Amino acid sequence: MTDDPVMTHIGAAGELFRAGDVEGARSAFAELWRAAVAEDDAFHRCVVAHFAADAEPDVEQELAWDLRALEAADEVTDERAQEFHGGLSVAAFYPSLHLGLADDFRRVGDDDRARHHLARGQEVLGVLGDDPYGQTVRGVAERLAALYDTPRVATAARVIAAPAASVFELIADPARQPAWDGNDNLAASAGGQRVRAVGDVFVTRLTMGEERENHVVEFTEGRLLAWTPSDPGRVPPPGHLWRWELQPLGGEAGDRTAVRQTYDWSHLVDEHRFARARATTPDRLRASLDRLAAVAEG
């Protein structure tokens, strides 16, 4: 592909990473970066940073490398790129550069920038050929687009024939939640964890045997309760939220309550949880509301 020794060294560093020597690859890329900066070669800086990002296990460091790669790419002329990469224009790097940044920003929770770079990457996909590299990059674009085209907020509501205080008690006491859980996800919660304020943390055990620490982020007694689930000890939580809103309705007895449940995974960054998040549909939420109504109305 090239007789450029720097490109040969970049390939060798990439081989270290693929062989499992992550630290060796990171060290090699760092040295190559210093050399590229010293020689003031934007093309070499672009390629080094682009491949160094792939070898970086820390997402924030990966993001930093990808930003360096894009910045360097903007400084490269097509003539320089062709000279050192067998006729491949630097324009062919832009889809991968922007899509890499889209994925980085998604994983750090910055959806606005993720969407921006996804759009930029989609705009330039046409420069790619119908070869394995082009197919791989288009596959990344399709995966990211699917994530952002999928609704990430599910909500459902109904009127329950019970006073707001009684309904709220069923929600705010974790020990009572498994009785009306429409997701069939909650196995049990210990007593004595009744939520009283923002900042409270209650623990639930799932049907699969795992435990979740639930961090309360919104609270108004009798009216509003929201929490973010997390693995024990994980701070911050991965980014999805459950919210309950209650509104007492008029009437002589005051025994009717409009209840809305919302599941919001807009900021969820853990891909291992995406399948479960997508499965949490409004129908699942309505199932919880119906079971909650059955318990509350007795």
Side-chain angles (χ1 to χ4, degrees), residues 18-63:
R18 286 186 286 275
D21 186 359
V22 176
E23 289 307 314
R26 294 179 69 208
S27 177
F29 280 124
E31 183 60 34
L32 287 165
W33 174 257
R34 287 190 289 269
V37 170
E39 68 175 334
D40 194 23
D41 189 309
F43 180 72
H44 283 163
R45 282 191 282 117
C46 174
V47 180
V48 170
H50 188 41
F51 284 93
D54 292 338
E56 180 55 64
D58 181 273
V59 64
E60 291 184 336
Q61 293 300 317
E62 182 178 354
L63 171 59

Side-chain angles (χ1 to χ4, degrees), residues 19-152:
D21 186 359
V22 176
E23 289 307 314
R26 294 179 69 208
S27 177
F29 280 124
E31 183 60 34
L32 287 165
W33 174 257
R34 287 190 289 269
V37 170
E39 68 175 334
D40 194 23
D41 189 309
F43 180 72
H44 283 163
R45 282 191 282 117
C46 174
V47 180
V48 170
H50 188 41
F51 284 93
D54 292 338
E56 180 55 64
D58 181 273
V59 64
E60 291 184 336
Q61 293 300 317
E62 182 178 354
L63 171 59
W65 278 118
D66 279 332
L67 287 170
R68 294 183 190 114
L70 181 61
E71 180 181 9
D74 289 339
E75 301 174 16
V76 179
T77 64
D78 278 350
E79 292 78 11
R80 177 69 177 90
Q82 291 168 359
E83 176 186 355
F84 282 97
H85 208 61
L88 178 62
S89 169
V90 73
F93 290 148
Y94 276 100
S96 182
L97 292 173
H98 281 296
L99 293 172
L101 282 166
D103 195 44
D104 296 339
F105 280 120
R106 179 191 64 81
R107 286 185 288 148
V108 300
D110 192 336
D111 284 340
D112 288 341
R113 291 186 182 181
R115 290 177 186 276
H116 168 77
H117 284 285
L118 172 59
R120 292 288 303 278
Q122 290 171 321
E123 289 171 359
V124 293
L125 283 174
V127 304
L128 299 174
D130 188 19
D131 54 16
Y133 174 74
Q135 292 167 8
T136 297
V137 176
R138 288 190 182 91
V140 172
E142 291 173 3
R143 178 177 65 85
L144 290 170
L147 291 176
Y148 281 104
D149 288 343
T150 301
R152 289 192 164 210

Side-chain angles (χ1 to χ4, degrees), residues 233-251:
R234 177 171 178 171
V235 178
H240 51 161
L241 176 143
W242 293 91
R243 178 184 291 112
W244 290 86
E245 300 167 89
L246 281 66
Q247 178 61 55
L249 300 179

Side-chain angles (χ1 to χ4, degrees), residues 141-290:
E142 291 173 3
R143 178 177 65 85
L144 290 170
L147 291 176
Y148 281 104
D149 288 343
T150 301
R152 289 192 164 210
V153 179
T155 187
R158 66 160 289 169
V159 173
I160 295 177
S166 299
V167 178
F168 192 78
E169 197 65 31
L170 293 171
I171 302 167
D173 184 353
R176 307 184 72 176
Q177 292 177 3
W180 49 257
D181 170 40
N183 279 308
D184 295 322
N185 192 41
L186 302 180
S189 298
Q193 299 188 88
R194 207 284 196 182
V195 176
R196 303 288 180 185
V198 170
D200 285 356
V201 178
F202 62 92
V203 179
T204 55
R205 181 164 50 83
L206 307 184
T207 52
M208 298 297 291
E210 301 171 334
E211 286 194 343
R212 289 287 182 269
E213 291 180 348
N214 301 282
H215 301 255
V216 177
V217 294
E218 300 174 31
F219 182 84
T220 301
E221 179 64 39
R223 298 291 184 272
L224 173 66
L225 175 57
W227 64 82
T228 56
S230 177
D231 296 325
R234 177 171 178 171
V235 178
H240 51 161
L241 176 143
W242 293 91
R243 178 184 291 112
W244 290 86
E245 300 167 89
L246 281 66
Q247 178 61 55
L249 300 179
E252 292 184 3
D255 58 358
R256 296 170 63 246
T257 306
V259 183
R260 176 176 297 277
Q261 183 188 20
T262 300
Y263 176 63
D264 185 343
W265 58 291
S266 301
H267 302 291
L268 185 64
V269 297
D270 186 346
E271 292 189 22
H272 298 294
R273 302 180 190 271
F274 283 0
R276 181 75 182 187
R278 290 192 191 95
T280 307
T281 61
D283 286 342
R284 288 287 186 90
L285 302 189
R286 279 190 286 272
S288 287
L289 286 168
D290 291 344

